[in-house]
Each structure stands twice: as structure tokens, then as C-alpha cells.
Amino acid sequence: MSLIEWIELPNLGDHRGSLVVAEANRNIPFSIQRLYYIFGTQPSVPRGFHAHKELQQIAFGIQGSCKMLMDNGREKQEVLIGQSNRGLLIPPMVWHEMHDFSEDCILLVLASNYYDENDYIRNYDQFLKEVNQSVKHT
Ligand code: T46
């Protein structure tokens, strides 16, 4: 699987405006158990700086944009999230950091499970250790 995967949702917009649809286990490749949205951010205040052990997520920039640095321990890539119907897949064991939020940014995140702080790896050295251990066992 490549580090960067986008999920495209249909925009059923017409002259009245846009309408984008996400359906669990159809165009979203998991059962959605939770959604959250991030807004009121500041361009110079980054967020994230963690990986998840098992959680799968998809992040949509439903308004404005931000940059997301993705890092699987071997490769790093930064992408711009800024299309309301194009979400970035954040798989387990990918360290991610959000930077350069536009002032109007609203980030909508669909998640495969409920919030669980034990699923977070918030220390980068610990992340690298766990990633390298899992590579050795595959
Ligand atoms: C992620 C990126 C993209 C909850 O209590 N429940 C929740 O569902 C969430 C998402 C957060 N929280 C609490 C945990 C913290 O005390 O809200 C506080 C802020 O969360 P955090 O510092 O983790 O926020 P970000 O923006 O760094 O990360 C968030 C998600 O937490 C994370 O899963 O992948 O967005």
C-alpha cells in the first residue's frame, strides 16, 4: 500500500449547491464509528504528532486547507488537504502532523473506532521502535 491514498467521494451537486456522500463500507473502506471536526485553527499552530496503533481514519478539508505530513517510518510525504470530496486515508502506524492551516480550515475526520487514548503513540522514538519491530515480524 502506498503511503498516500486518497478517497474520492461523489459530489452530487447541482445548481442549488454541492452534496457529497460518504457511506460506510462502500466508498469509505471501514465502518464509521466516530467523526470529529477541527476548526478555529491557527496557521502557525501545528497539531497531530502521533500515530494510531489500529485506528483507520479519513480526513477531508471540507473548507479551506492544511498540510499533512505522513511518515510510515521509512518514507515521509507532505500533502495538501483541501478538497471537500477528496479525503486522505490515515492508516494505522503512520505518524502524522498537520501544519499550515488556512484561517477558514474545517477538517472533517471519519474514524473506524471510538476514541481510545491507548491507541495513540505520541512519542516519535516509540513509534519508530514499534514500526521497526512490526517490519521484522512480517
Ligand atoms: C488524529 C488527528 C488527525 C477526545 O476526547 N475524543 C476524540 O474523539 C478526539 C479526536 C480527541 N479527544 C481529546 C484528546 C485530547 O485531549 O481531544 C483533545 C485534542 O485531541 P488531540 O490533541 O489528539 O488533537 P489532534 O488534532 O492532535 O489529533 C486529532 C485526533 O486526536 C487524532 O486521532 O489522527 O486529529
Side-chain angles (χ1 to χ4, degrees), residues 34 36 38 47-50 52 55 57 59 68 90 96 98 107 109 115 117 120 122:
R34 177 169 55 108
Y36 57 91
I38 296 173
R47 307 180 62 111
F49 297 89
H50 59 255
H52 286 281
L55 189 71
Q57 301 188 99
M68 181 81 86
I90 308 172
H96 49 285
M98 294 167 276
L107 202 66
V109 183
Y115 173 72
E117 187 58 38
Y120 286 71
R122 293 192 185 268

Side-chain angles (χ1 to χ4, degrees), residues 29-45:
F30 51 77
S31 289
I32 303 160
Q33 300 296 336
R34 177 169 55 108
L35 72 78
Y36 57 91
Y37 36 96
I38 296 173
F39 59 98
T41 47
Q42 293 164 58
S44 59
V45 183

Side-chain angles (χ1 to χ4, degrees), residues 99-127:
H99 299 269
D100 295 351
F101 291 92
S102 66
E103 300 227 331
D104 59 346
C105 182
I106 302 176
L107 202 66
L108 173 73
V109 183
L110 307 179
S112 64
N113 217 335
Y114 299 112
Y115 173 72
D116 176 7
E117 187 58 38
N118 293 323
D119 187 66
Y120 286 71
I121 306 170
R122 293 192 185 268
N123 177 290
Y124 189 68
D125 291 337
Q126 182 65 26
F127 162 70

